[in-house]
Amino acid sequence: MWQDLRITAAIQANISRLALNIARFEPFSTKSFLEAHRTLMSGLIEQPGRWRSGQVGIFKESKVTHVAPPASRVPGLMAELFKTLKGSRDYHPLILA
């Protein structure tokens, strides 16, 4: 229970810090994305503000339901995503957010 409360407090503090600094982030910048990730995930994961270095997946019970792309592809895939989003007005504002 105390662990949950500590995590909740860290999340709330991180969200507040992010909200106070939101104006300085560039919407389609990988550097800003990683900076925002560092702020939001600080104290919650081992390496906030960095691309992941290992394989991840989603499990339902003991069954793998999704395997994410290899970590080595993440920087390029994110750059491609930002480029696509920046160059299009066809996406709903919530998707662009």
Side-chain angles (χ1 to χ4, degrees):
M1 178 178 161
W2 294 112
Q3 176 79 3
D4 293 341
L5 291 175
R6 188 175 61 79
I7 290 171
T8 300
I11 292 169
Q12 290 172 340
N14 292 353
I15 290 170
S16 294
R17 231 179 349 268
L18 186 65
L20 289 172
N21 294 296
I22 199 78
R24 76 171 201 231
F25 296 115
E26 297 174 35
F28 305 106
S29 161
T30 55
K31 181 179 177 184
S32 283
F33 177 83
L34 291 174
E35 196 174 325
H37 185 270
R38 180 177 20 262
T39 301
L40 191 59
M41 301 305 291
S42 181
L44 300 171
I45 62 172
E46 287 186 28
Q47 296 183 327
R50 293 183 168 180
W51 300 120
R52 63 179 168 82
S53 59
Q55 189 63 42
V56 296
I58 298 172
F59 291 81
K60 183 175 182 179
E61 297 173 5
S62 62
K63 184 179 178 185
V64 177
T65 59
H66 174 75
V67 176
S72 61
R73 293 194 54 215
V74 172
L77 290 170
M78 292 301 293
E80 184 179 322
L81 173 65
F82 290 136
K83 181 179 176 183
T84 299
L85 293 175
K86 184 177 183 177
S88 177
R89 303 257 186 248
D90 296 336
Y91 295 98
H92 188 280
L94 286 176
I95 300 297
L96 292 173

